[in-house]
Amino acid sequence: MSAQVQVTIAVPMTEALVEQIRLVDDRVEVVYDREQFPGERYLGDHHGAPARERTDQERAAFFDYLADAEIVYGIPELQPSGLSRLVSRNERLRWVHAVQAGAGAMVLAADLSPHQLERVTVTTSAGVHASSLAEFAVFGMLAGSQDLVRLRRDQEAHVWPDRRATRQLNGATCLIVGAGEIGTAIAYRARALGMRTIGVKRTVEPVEHFDEIVSTDELRERAAEADHLVVTLPGTASTEHLVDADVLAACKPGVHLVNVGRGSVIDETALIDALRSGQVGSAALDVFEREPLDAHSPLWDLPNVIVSPHTAALDDGEEQRVADLFCDNLRRYLAGAELRNRVDPAEGY
């Protein structure tokens, strides 16, 4: 590592956060050209791209801007092609920090060579969205248990119905598929609401806030206990359609489902069938197999579905938390210590 470390910012950023990174250490030189990003179109817009596509000349200039960095904050253009072009172009590059949590799939799609993967470390922002996603999961479970669909329907029809019983979260079982940081944050909140928490992960070991941890191989068997099924897993070859028709059929009739992981973990066709039959009573979905969700997808119109456009992790503190994580890792990098949230190309996350 050179005495001076150049960090180039590849996504829109406030001057306050640029200064925060600059103040990490006297050896850090931060390069940030606001002109490369015409302005955020919305809170948390990490693309900052023009309304129109960059011309070939503008793209070349953008990658020239990144060409001398030892560290790049943000995957260029948030595309695998941007990561591939960056790594191929910049031989000095040693570390790329992704502003999103699920960047592992992007690393795989970039098709980097073994030499490039050895030379350049990619880290993610996994964990910074755990609180926001956990709150969405609680919202989804409450919407299901309190029958939000029926409440809205009666309200729109100006109907005052007879008294009807609902099901409390207190005493219900929450089966969380994925017991990482997001799953743990959900389990913490679920327990506070009096729920029993079961976590599903590849390695069976105690995890805080879970009453029990079971292996992925037991998912179908233990699904029968779930009043609420919450998915937090990343999208990898091993997790694709892990929640399939058999798992959904094994659940209690009327189970409430939440997905804050990746859309590919759930077989969407099987889910639609289960929602129509009532086997799945409700679904609160922040992610989908294909995004944006196709305008003709039945999920838009099913009354027992909440469609969130992959924004559950977005809140006004997100950018600060990502910068805080990066600054902690930058101190580790300067000290020659292990970085947090390194992507393992073999695992895809």
Side-chain angles (χ1 to χ4, degrees):
M1 182 173 60
S2 60
Q4 201 73 13
V5 175
Q6 180 176 318
V7 177
T8 301
I9 310 300
V11 294
M13 178 176 279
T14 65
E15 290 298 334
L17 295 183
V18 172
E19 185 64 14
Q20 178 181 339
I21 295 170
R22 186 176 288 119
L23 292 174
V24 165
D25 193 284
D26 290 340
R27 291 171 288 174
V28 174
E29 176 191 0
V30 180
V31 176
Y32 180 60
D33 180 5
R34 184 72 192 185
E35 295 301 315
Q36 298 290 341
F37 314 102
E40 292 176 291
R41 295 161 292 179
Y42 46 83
L43 178 67
D45 175 17
H46 296 300
H47 292 77
R52 59 175 174 77
E53 289 291 321
R54 286 187 173 102
T55 66
D56 289 344
Q57 184 176 3
E58 288 168 337
R59 290 193 77 230
F62 179 60
F63 283 93
D64 284 345
Y65 157 72
L66 302 171
D68 295 324
E70 182 173 336
I71 302 169
V72 169
Y73 183 104
I75 292 177
E77 301 178 334
L78 268 70
Q79 295 291 335
S81 58
L83 178 60
S84 178
R85 184 168 178 171
L86 170 67
V87 174
S88 298
R89 172 80 188 277
N90 184 346
E91 288 294 328
R92 294 186 65 247
L93 186 67
R94 293 297 179 268
W95 171 28
V96 177
H97 179 72
V99 295
Q100 63 271 69
M106 201 174 297
V107 174
L108 294 181
D111 197 25
L112 303 177
S113 70
H115 170 71
Q116 289 173 326
L117 290 170
E118 183 177 354
R119 173 170 62 88
V120 179
T121 296
V122 179
T123 59
T124 76
S125 294
V128 304
H129 307 103
S131 179
S132 299
L133 293 175
E135 289 187 10
F136 180 86
V138 172
F139 160 69
M141 290 190 288
L142 283 169
S145 64
Q146 296 299 313
D147 203 349
L148 178 62
V149 169
R150 185 168 58 181
L151 290 173
R152 292 295 300 166
R153 184 177 62 235
D154 289 346
Q155 181 177 343
E156 290 168 1
H158 297 192
V159 169
W160 188 275
D162 293 334
R163 290 169 59 85
R164 293 179 296 214
T166 58
R167 299 177 64 184
Q168 292 187 6
L169 295 187
N170 182 41
T173 295
C174 180
L175 181 66
I176 303 173
V177 186
E181 291 187 75
I182 297 170
T184 300
I186 295 168
Y188 168 75
R189 288 158 177 78
R191 259 191 169 181
L193 290 166
M195 302 182 78
R196 173 182 174 228
T197 55
I198 303 174
V200 179
K201 65 192 302 282
R202 288 186 303 174
T203 303
V204 178
E205 58 190 1
V207 179
E208 190 177 14
H209 307 306
F210 284 94
D211 294 304
E212 187 179 0
I213 295 292
V214 301
S215 74
T216 307
D217 293 338
E218 298 177 77
L219 173 58
R220 188 182 307 174
E221 175 187 350
R222 302 305 295 269
E225 302 173 46
D227 297 294
H228 300 267
L229 178 65
V230 182
V231 175
T232 74
L233 290 175
T236 68
S238 62
T239 65
E240 184 172 1
H241 287 187
L242 182 65
V243 178
D244 58 12
D246 291 339
V247 170
L248 295 175
C251 291
K252 292 181 180 179
V255 66
H256 303 296
L257 184 145
V258 177
N259 191 1
V260 292
R262 283 295 179 265
S264 61
V265 180
I266 299 177
D267 182 338
E268 215 161 85
T269 300
L271 174 59
I272 290 168
D273 290 342
L275 284 161
R276 284 171 167 162
S277 72
Q279 173 61 20
V280 172
S282 70
L285 308 172
D286 185 51
V287 290
F288 304 87
E289 287 202 69
R290 293 185 180 179
E291 297 180 4
L293 182 62
D294 189 278
H296 301 291
S297 171
L299 292 171
W300 287 110
D301 298 311
L302 285 170
N304 50 348
V305 175
I306 295 172
V307 172
S308 170
H310 206 149
T311 57
L314 179 61
D315 68 85
D316 56 9
E318 178 198 23
E319 291 177 303
Q320 181 66 63
R321 293 194 301 272
V322 174
D324 290 344
L325 171 61
F326 175 77
C327 287
D328 178 67
N329 256 348
L330 182 54
R331 294 184 186 94
R332 292 167 181 259
Y333 181 87
L334 294 168
E338 184 73 13
L339 301 184
R340 296 166 58 190
N341 293 351
R342 291 174 63 116
V343 172
D344 181 348
E347 297 292 345
Y349 62 90

